Amino acid sequence: MTNLSKSKLFKTGNVLIKAEESKSFVKQVAKISNQFIELKIVNAMVEDNIYLNIVDNNIKQSYIQKLRSKNKHLQIRIVLQGVVEKLNQVNNKKTTYNENEISVEYSQDINESLLNKEGSHIKYICITLNEEYLDENGYFRDIFKEPFFMKFYEPNIKNKFYELFNREYTSGLDKIYLKNKTTEVILYVLEQIDNKSFKVDGLDEEDIRRVKKAEVILQNTFNEKITIELLSKKVALNQSKLKKGFKEIFHKTIHNYLKDIRLEKAVKYLKENKYSIKEVSTMVGYTNQGSFSYAFSSKYNCSPKAITKKSNL
């Protein structure tokens, strides 16, 4: 993939920009057609420290777009069409956002890039609430006290927000419209979080405590051979409840969670340049180097060897 900065991407080809700016509102509308993209994008600051992006991107040629670094922030992403892929530049972790999915992320010190694949047509909404806004509104601090990630599937999400993509954004009413729509999205997502947060059918508070204990065990014994049967015995919770509760609370299966821990540790060890790839695969719990390399490449879109080479530069 070609690496492109946002400025370079926007300067390539024909660009039509409509802008509006006041003390508490900024709107930029761009239509861009070049060898890489056929893009319509709306960027708006609808209120101090609240930003809205509406992206309709038909990708002609694969490219990587480095995003601006962010401090502590809350980000809501709604994908109405296609698949959005993001790569964390610090740990090489790839995150995928699928069609009809809403994701909520609270994190800090993020350096990441978008992976745009040829032939894809993606439409998504992204709302970012900066640290200053979160600090001024205690309600958010009560919910998001530590790094937080949640995704949920909404099959009818297109009907709810698709009109955002059909508007021309040339009206003087856009300020009111965009602010109201942004507030609507934030309220909708917070209500979903409130409804879903740690409420698991068939599990009481003690069951949930045992599921969380299982997560701690995985963190501390990722390099050991551990089965669901063994994990179930260690936390004294039957396998069915453990699997169901784990998926509900951590939004991953136990298998995928363990795999992610192992591969994240592998990146750390590879960057140290003290160990061979075979040694690293053993250190993180793989008994077969080929299986390790396949899992690593699938997750990070590069081989383990590429990490060691990059660390040598």
Side-chain angles (χ1 to χ4, degrees), residues 162-175:
Y162 213 83
E163 67 178 86
L164 283 163
F165 293 86
N166 297 326
R167 192 179 176 93
E168 287 301 316
Y169 297 102
T170 57
S171 167
L173 297 175
D174 288 341
K175 177 179 180 178

Side-chain angles (χ1 to χ4, degrees), residues 60-110:
K60 302 176 185 177
Q61 184 176 327
S62 297
Y63 67 95
I64 301 172
Q65 178 189 342
K66 190 174 185 345
L67 302 175
R68 183 181 299 173
S69 300
K70 302 183 186 74
N71 294 323
K72 194 174 293 183
H73 68 287
L74 175 69
Q75 197 163 70
I76 298 167
R77 190 183 305 271
I78 303 177
V79 181
L80 282 79
Q81 180 174 318
V83 175
V84 178
E85 291 186 331
K86 208 167 59 173
L87 182 69
N88 187 309
Q89 298 289 348
V90 177
N91 59 19
N92 276 345
K93 181 179 179 180
K94 185 170 72 173
T95 305
T96 301
Y97 307 86
N98 296 302
E99 187 170 310
N100 295 323
E101 271 187 354
I102 301 175
S103 65
V104 187
E105 298 172 80
Y106 174 60
S107 51
Q108 60 183 343
D109 301 327
I110 296 298

Side-chain angles (χ1 to χ4, degrees), residues 90 169 213 217 238 298 301:
V90 177
Y169 297 102
K213 181 181 177 182
I217 292 172
N238 73 58
S298 298
N301 208 29

Side-chain angles (χ1 to χ4, degrees), residues 13 27 37 56 66 138 144 169 180 195-196 208 307:
K27 178 188 70 179
I37 55 176
D56 182 348
K66 190 174 185 345
F144 306 105
Y169 297 102
N180 285 347
N195 290 336
K196 295 174 184 290
I208 291 173
I307 301 296

Side-chain angles (χ1 to χ4, degrees), residues 1-2 4 34-38 57-65 82-85 114-122 301:
M1 283 188 177
T2 304
L4 291 175
N34 56 45
Q35 70 187 88
F36 293 101
I37 55 176
E38 191 76 38
N57 193 4
N58 198 343
I59 302 163
K60 302 176 185 177
Q61 184 176 327
S62 297
Y63 67 95
I64 301 172
Q65 178 189 342
V83 175
V84 178
E85 291 186 331
L114 287 175
L115 306 177
N116 297 282
K117 294 185 178 179
E118 182 178 342
S120 300
H121 188 179
I122 55 175
N301 208 29

